[in-house]
Amino acid sequence: MRKRALLATTLLAVSATLAATTQAGATGSTAGEVLTTGSAGGTAVAIGDVLSASLPTGTKARIATTQGGSTGITCSTSAFTATVTGNPAAPGTATESVTAHTLSSCTTNIIGATGVQSITVNNLPFSTAVVSGGALTVTAGAAGPIQTTLKINSILGLMTCVYRAGSLTATPSNTDNSLTFTDQLFTKVSGPGMCPANGYFSAKYGPVLDTSQAGSPAVFVN
């Protein structure tokens, strides 16, 4: 009986050790923050760090009048800046505040339009949530809805077209540290009849860099 009791006690101890080791391994596999630099699972991005990205060489930002369409506005220069407001352990949801978003050097092939005077992103800052293994979502901040004002020259004079979006979604990629927006819907809220009823925004930004750190390392999503 003593041998059986001793054997049972030994087996229980081994089982407990294995369970503890397995749990530690599981914890280790998810260690690290949602946003890191250097590599996936690398150095955590600090709260307050400023992230920025522009269009990769040879790419453009587009606002099409129809989903997937070729008519609309094309911009060869665009960039954004965001401040990290939360970066929990992965898996989780990191948060950012988008403080700047610019589009310039734009042309248009909209019928009746002769050029693009300016595009202004209004009501900044916006709120951003980045989910581990998922998408980045931009929502309105305290200043008001996601809004963009387009000033377009036309055969009838200057048109001011104002558009709003409920939210925007982008797909992050750790392959090239990019964010890709595809056909994000904006709806016209004011402007003359020549202003298109809708605008579908598409752009790829990357690499996303942590400009608060030496060397501006690329940012990964974990």
Side-chain angles (χ1 to χ4, degrees), residues 41 51 57 69 83 116 118 123 198:
L51 311 184
T57 302
T83 300
V116 180
S118 66
N123 299 331
N198 298 308

Side-chain angles (χ1 to χ4, degrees), residues 163-177:
Y163 295 84
R164 288 179 181 172
S167 64
L168 304 174
T169 301
T171 302
S173 171
N174 282 346
T175 302
D176 55 4
N177 308 101

Side-chain angles (χ1 to χ4, degrees), residues 132-221:
S132 294
L136 176 148
T137 302
V138 182
T139 54
I146 297 173
Q147 179 175 295
T148 302
T149 300
L150 284 63
K151 291 187 178 295
I152 303 172
N153 296 321
S154 76
I155 57 176
L156 299 179
L158 178 64
M159 301 188 301
T160 299
C161 313
V162 180
Y163 295 84
R164 288 179 181 172
S167 64
L168 304 174
T169 301
T171 302
S173 171
N174 282 346
T175 302
D176 55 4
N177 308 101
S178 66
L179 287 173
T180 300
F181 295 86
T182 304
D183 285 332
Q184 298 300 294
L185 175 62
F186 282 77
T187 303
K188 185 177 78 172
V189 293
S190 68
M194 284 187 66
C195 297
N198 298 308
Y200 292 85
F201 174 70
S202 297
K204 178 179 181 178
Y205 295 94
V208 179
L209 305 176
D210 185 343
T211 59
S212 294
Q213 300 301 317
S216 298
V219 177
F220 293 78
V221 178

Side-chain angles (χ1 to χ4, degrees), residues 24-34 36 40-42 88-91 222:
T27 302
S29 67
T30 58
E33 284 67 28
V34 176
T36 58
N222 303 285

Side-chain angles (χ1 to χ4, degrees), residues 71-126:
T71 299
I73 294 172
T74 300
C75 301
S76 58
T77 302
S78 184
F80 76 83
T81 301
T83 300
V84 177
T85 56
N87 189 23
T93 301
T95 55
E96 303 166 8
S97 176
V98 180
T99 55
H101 187 194
T102 58
L103 297 102
S104 58
S105 300
C106 304
T107 59
T108 180
N109 62 352
I110 296 173
I111 295 176
T114 59
V116 180
Q117 192 172 107
S118 66
I119 297 179
T120 304
V121 178
N122 309 122
N123 299 331
L124 292 163
F126 300 143

